[in-house]
Amino acid sequence: MHMAMRGLIDTFSAIFRHERPQGDLEHAAFLAEMTERVVVTASPKIRAVRGYHKRLLPALDSSSKYFAESIRHFPGPVTLAKQTWNSDPLVNACFASVEQLEVFLRGNADIREAASRTDSREVYFLLTMNRREEVVYGSAMVGEMIRRDVPQEVVTFSDHRCVAPGLTIHETKQQLNRLALELLASLASASILETRKRLEDLERERTSLGYELKILKLKDQGLGSALTRHGEVEKELAEGGMIQEELDAEITRLKSAFSDLEDYLRLVESIFSHPESMLRFEDMTLEVNRKGVKNYTGIDDPSRPIHFAQFSTSERSRAAFLAVSPVEEIIA
């Protein structure tokens, strides 16, 4: 093992020795590995800050606990199989037909790879999907009468994806924790890049405005001043000057946010200390019937409750639950 990594593990083991009577070394090794992964992803420059690993340790541990607890509350594992498509309301709601379920299980390369491992009997994974709700007009049974063109809310799930396939639920949950930490690191890197891009855009805007104001002044020289209305140029110059001051203030603020490597470290530390601000998990319960209609009370096909999780960043949201599928459902 690399000496630097060995040193990190020894340091983390000492810190956790009194807090974790079991699995100290394993947990310390995990945090040591993830610290390096996070730094490489977020900004390798952080390595130049003395003691960066000790600074990041509490934040990474906090995030790891947050994700482990969130994953522990994920619904499932729910069995995905031809039989459960008929019997389980959640499986039925997420797949439009048993054929769609079969195509997903047998056509997903990651699931098939896990199923082909030695001694594999079943494959666990996190199933994620896009969820869409829309109002459509359809038939509904009201009492003993069928009414047509009744507005109904219909829920559909699409873009099914398998995440963290494993042969045990423990293996899958460990992978999910790791992937969540890696996502936080990517979001930290994206935040840094967005700030840089914003700074470059503002500096270009300031330069362009400077040229425009200079051109305005030049056109007002000599006889040019007689061709403009009184005070017109002065007004435009004053307005341009105010915008210039606002740009200068924002540029100064952004530059000060990343004036040295400590600022990069502080950003990453802050994000990992409050993971819920970047990646949120929510328990969801809906009532849908076999056609996906929400809150349908007709006796012909009443809605049934389904439970799943929803995890979101500031830009995206996906429905998810832990799933398990027997190997014989995957490899025909």
Side-chain angles (χ1 to χ4, degrees), residues 24 45 79 89 94 102 115 123 135 152-153 162 165 209 239 253 270 280 305 324 327:
D24 287 358
K45 296 179 180 180
T79 300
C94 293
E102 289 180 337
V123 177
V135 176
Q152 300 170 328
E153 271 192 280
C162 158
L209 179 60
E239 291 175 349
R253 186 187 70 80
S270 174
R280 299 174 299 281
V324 59
V327 168

Side-chain angles (χ1 to χ4, degrees), residues 37-110:
R37 282 177 175 265
V38 164
V39 169
V40 168
T41 301
S43 177
K45 296 179 180 180
I46 291 175
R47 284 175 168 163
V49 180
R50 180 178 296 179
Y52 70 89
H53 44 81
K54 289 185 179 180
R55 290 266 300 276
L56 289 177
L57 170 61
L60 258 74
D61 190 42
S62 175
S63 290
S64 180
K65 290 176 179 176
Y66 167 73
F67 291 133
E69 185 66 11
S70 298
I71 292 166
R72 190 173 71 84
H73 285 95
F74 273 13
V78 175
T79 300
L80 298 185
K82 293 188 289 291
Q83 182 177 356
T84 57
W85 185 84
N86 288 305
S87 61
D88 192 311
L90 179 59
V91 180
N92 182 267
C94 293
F95 293 90
S97 66
V98 69
E99 290 78 18
Q100 184 189 35
L101 173 59
E102 289 180 337
V103 168
F104 170 73
L105 292 175
R106 297 176 183 178
N108 187 285
D110 293 332

Side-chain angles (χ1 to χ4, degrees), residues 26-225:
E26 179 183 352
H27 186 70
F30 172 72
L31 288 179
E33 177 192 352
M34 292 312 302
T35 297
E36 291 307 307
R37 282 177 175 265
V38 164
V39 169
V40 168
T41 301
S43 177
K45 296 179 180 180
I46 291 175
R47 284 175 168 163
V49 180
R50 180 178 296 179
Y52 70 89
H53 44 81
K54 289 185 179 180
R55 290 266 300 276
L56 289 177
L57 170 61
L60 258 74
D61 190 42
S62 175
S63 290
S64 180
K65 290 176 179 176
Y66 167 73
F67 291 133
E69 185 66 11
S70 298
I71 292 166
R72 190 173 71 84
H73 285 95
F74 273 13
V78 175
T79 300
L80 298 185
K82 293 188 289 291
Q83 182 177 356
T84 57
W85 185 84
N86 288 305
S87 61
D88 192 311
L90 179 59
V91 180
N92 182 267
C94 293
F95 293 90
S97 66
V98 69
E99 290 78 18
Q100 184 189 35
L101 173 59
E102 289 180 337
V103 168
F104 170 73
L105 292 175
R106 297 176 183 178
N108 187 285
D110 293 332
I111 295 177
R112 289 183 63 86
E113 181 181 355
S116 64
R117 286 161 55 181
T118 305
D119 297 330
S120 61
R121 297 180 180 179
E122 52 194 10
V123 177
Y124 294 83
F125 56 92
L126 182 71
L127 177 66
T128 77
M129 306 156 287
N130 279 335
R131 176 171 62 94
R132 181 182 179 185
E133 297 187 21
E134 60 180 338
V135 176
V136 301
Y137 289 86
S139 300
M141 180 168 283
V142 180
E144 296 182 355
M145 298 183 61
I146 296 179
R147 292 186 178 179
R148 304 189 184 280
D149 296 327
V150 177
Q152 300 170 328
E153 271 192 280
V154 176
V155 182
T156 55
F157 296 88
S158 61
D159 189 28
H160 303 79
R161 297 184 190 179
C162 158
V163 181
L167 300 190
T168 66
I169 190 65
H170 178 68
E171 179 186 352
T172 289
K173 288 183 176 181
Q174 280 190 322
Q175 288 188 64
L176 289 174
N177 197 324
R178 184 185 300 271
L179 291 172
L181 291 172
E182 290 177 354
L183 174 58
L184 271 195
S186 297
L187 293 175
S189 179
S191 178
I192 293 171
L193 292 177
E194 287 169 357
T195 299
R196 288 178 181 170
K197 181 181 181 300
R198 173 66 175 158
L199 185 57
E200 291 174 359
D201 291 344
L202 289 174
E203 288 179 332
R204 280 195 295 269
E205 186 178 349
R206 182 180 63 177
T207 299
S208 177
L209 179 60
Y211 282 129
E212 291 177 8
L213 294 177
K214 188 173 183 180
I215 291 170
L216 190 61
K217 290 178 181 178
L218 290 172
K219 288 183 177 181
D220 194 45
Q221 299 296 314
L223 191 59
S225 61

Side-chain angles (χ1 to χ4, degrees), residues 43 46 192 196 258 260-268:
S43 177
I46 291 175
I192 293 171
R196 288 178 181 170
F258 293 102
D260 55 42
L261 297 181
E262 279 279 347
D263 294 324
Y264 288 83
L265 178 57
R266 274 192 292 269
L267 172 67
V268 176

Side-chain angles (χ1 to χ4, degrees), residues 282-311:
E282 182 181 1
D283 293 328
M284 300 289 293
T285 298
L286 300 177
E287 291 198 5
V288 299
N289 67 4
R290 297 181 69 85
K291 294 179 181 178
V293 179
K294 284 179 63 177
N295 304 322
Y296 183 74
T297 57
I299 60 174
D300 54 324
D301 185 15
S303 293
R304 301 170 292 176
I306 60 173
H307 308 283
F308 57 92
Q310 179 171 289
F311 66 99

